Amino acid sequence: MTATTAPSLTERRPRVPTERLLDELVPPQHFARESFDTYRPDPSYPSQARTVERLRSVATEVERAGTGGGLFGFGRKARPAAVYLDGGFGVGKTHLLTSLVREVGRADSAYGTFVEFTNLVGALGFGPTVEALGGKRLVAIDEFELDDPGDTVLMSRLLRELADRDVSLAATSNTLPGSLGEGRFAAEDFLREIQALADRFEVLRVDGEDYRHRVTTTDLGGLPDDVVRASIAGRDGATLDEFGALLDHLGEIHPSRYRALLDDVELVGLTGVRPLGHQSTALRFVVLVDRLYDRDVPVLLGGSGIHGLFPAEMLAGGYRKKYYRALSRLGALAEQGRSLVA
């Protein structure tokens, strides 16, 4: 196989049945082996250890939710648990959330990102989504976002409906690196948006540093395009795309299909990587980065690489949390890609 005949993601137009959307509401492969026992709290940030212990007890509460609270099971029904993990990038919130899911049991839980749940409502409709999730003990929402008012109101309504069905809830959010106050502000906004549930949620602050920044960079330059092409050539499970062509292709596929777009892909090569010029294009690329990270798919970036990928005005705008998360994750995947072909 030569570089010119390497498979391309733009050749794929996956069709995803509804059943698959529901079956994929599980923790990503990246966290498949993680648990509370594998989480290593940083002693410099006591809130990490406190959160682990609290979530262990939450797992027990989830098991009791919906049962009688009095003697011999009679009495007032226990209120379903509802916790909200608030903290910066890379402090292990997703690790903790997936560990909670593991403790409760995957069959009794539904796990997904905020975007995946909004996509699910778009694919199934609101009522069927409530019915599909209403039978779970726990619904875990990673990366709850406040960027889009419409989506936020939609998710707030969904959470109310699920809580009314005694489904326990757990969510996480991101804050800007080094911005101590913004985490609390995000939590307050979240609670204000779901006023009917505000008294049910317990906010758990998870302080710490981004562990990904300790081993990688979010300003990594690109490899020469010829090196990317040569590295992809002949590799099973590798794909090769020109960056602009891939961005155009993503605009023609619903984000709920991005996971299927990466089926059997083990390495992604991108040539001609350059700064993103449009917000809608950048947001679609962020979703793809999240799906690559979920599956631990290394990437090889040509062109300018991560350097300047999101222009300064994007990093200062309303979607900055998403962009910083994408840079952190893409940097880690790019380092993996370079190590793989070194």
Side-chain angles (χ1 to χ4, degrees), residues 142-197:
D142 202 10
E143 299 157 11
F144 196 101
E145 298 162 353
L146 298 170
D147 304 315
D148 186 294
D151 284 346
T152 302
V153 171
L154 172 67
M155 287 301 298
S156 298
R157 180 187 170 198
L158 177 62
L159 296 184
R160 288 197 298 270
E161 294 277 353
L162 295 175
D164 288 343
R165 294 183 178 222
D166 294 326
V167 178
S168 293
L169 305 170
T172 73
S173 78
N174 280 326
T175 61
L176 287 175
S179 184
L180 299 177
E182 186 164 348
R184 300 183 189 282
F185 176 76
E188 291 170 0
D189 277 2
F190 173 73
L191 295 176
R192 186 166 61 247
E193 284 294 333
I194 53 172
Q195 293 178 12
L197 288 175

Side-chain angles (χ1 to χ4, degrees), residues 111-270:
Y111 167 95
T113 64
F114 180 93
V115 171
E116 287 175 313
F117 279 109
T118 56
N119 288 340
L120 184 68
V121 174
L124 302 185
F126 186 83
T129 299
V130 173
E131 291 300 320
L133 301 178
K136 301 291 186 179
R137 287 180 178 268
L138 172 71
V139 168
I141 305 171
D142 202 10
E143 299 157 11
F144 196 101
E145 298 162 353
L146 298 170
D147 304 315
D148 186 294
D151 284 346
T152 302
V153 171
L154 172 67
M155 287 301 298
S156 298
R157 180 187 170 198
L158 177 62
L159 296 184
R160 288 197 298 270
E161 294 277 353
L162 295 175
D164 288 343
R165 294 183 178 222
D166 294 326
V167 178
S168 293
L169 305 170
T172 73
S173 78
N174 280 326
T175 61
L176 287 175
S179 184
L180 299 177
E182 186 164 348
R184 300 183 189 282
F185 176 76
E188 291 170 0
D189 277 2
F190 173 73
L191 295 176
R192 186 166 61 247
E193 284 294 333
I194 53 172
Q195 293 178 12
L197 288 175
D199 63 336
R200 304 191 188 203
F201 268 82
E202 175 186 359
V203 178
L204 303 176
R205 175 70 186 180
V206 187
D207 299 299
E209 300 177 2
D210 185 347
Y211 74 91
R212 287 182 292 264
H213 287 176
R214 300 167 194 166
V215 297
T216 190
T217 177
T218 58
D219 197 36
L220 191 68
L223 296 167
D225 286 347
D226 288 344
V227 172
V228 174
R229 296 188 188 97
S231 300
I232 292 296
R235 283 185 175 270
D236 292 337
T239 63
L240 178 66
D241 288 274
E242 196 280 323
F243 190 59
L246 177 62
L247 295 178
D248 291 341
H249 188 59
L250 294 179
E252 299 173 357
I253 299 176
H254 193 275
S256 64
R257 301 181 181 182
Y258 288 6
R259 190 188 300 272
L261 187 70
L262 299 174
D263 283 351
D264 303 319
V265 174
E266 299 178 5
L267 175 66
V268 167
L270 298 176

